[in-house]
Amino acid sequence: MNALRIDVGVHTILHVNLTGVDFADIERIIFTVKNSSAKNSKPVIEKTFTESGFYEVIITPSESLKLADGAEYDFNQVLKDGTRYKISDTGKIILRKSVGDFYG
């Protein structure tokens, strides 16, 4: 998976292309960012998609400030029967320090 760059302290826009996904048997797809790949690690960022489309995901300044070096992301799908599957490799997050000062 490609590394994603997130700017710390300002808004970052990420593009997620789900236009080719058939949601007939899928309840939702979840984009998750964690600071650690440990199983008990809580997600710092979690975005949910319920239909195919092209999405602009906005990472807020407050979300970016919670990320640590070594953060990782992946995508999971939850089927309508509740079964959850990992549908991507784990990707790296690259944090880029910003000179912005908006932390709201």
Side-chain angles (χ1 to χ4, degrees), residues 15-63:
H15 294 105
V16 177
N17 185 355
L18 299 176
T19 56
V21 177
D22 179 5
F23 274 80
D25 295 323
I26 300 171
E27 180 180 314
R28 65 189 182 274
I29 291 179
I30 305 166
F31 168 70
T32 305
V33 180
K34 292 182 172 184
N35 281 330
S36 167
S37 59
K39 187 171 183 138
N40 61 348
S41 176
K42 299 280 186 202
V44 176
I45 299 169
E46 198 168 73
K47 307 290 183 180
T48 301
F49 310 96
T50 58
E51 57 188 41
S52 65
F54 185 82
Y55 295 92
E56 286 189 342
V57 174
I58 298 174
I59 306 302
T60 66
S62 59
E63 289 173 323

Side-chain angles (χ1 to χ4, degrees), residues 33-36 67-73 91-95:
V33 180
K34 292 182 172 184
N35 281 330
S36 167
L67 295 173
D69 287 331
E72 298 176 330
Y73 74 96
K92 300 285 183 199
I93 299 289
I94 298 170
L95 299 177

Side-chain angles (χ1 to χ4, degrees), residues 61-102:
S62 59
E63 289 173 323
S64 71
L65 290 169
K66 295 175 187 173
L67 295 173
D69 287 331
E72 298 176 330
Y73 74 96
D74 69 4
F75 288 88
N76 287 255
Q77 71 179 7
V78 178
L79 301 180
K80 292 190 176 176
D81 69 3
T83 307
R84 185 171 177 149
Y85 293 103
K86 184 174 175 172
I87 59 170
S88 73
D89 291 333
T90 300
K92 300 285 183 199
I93 299 289
I94 298 170
L95 299 177
R96 184 169 75 167
K97 302 297 182 196
S98 176
V99 296
D101 62 357
F102 177 78

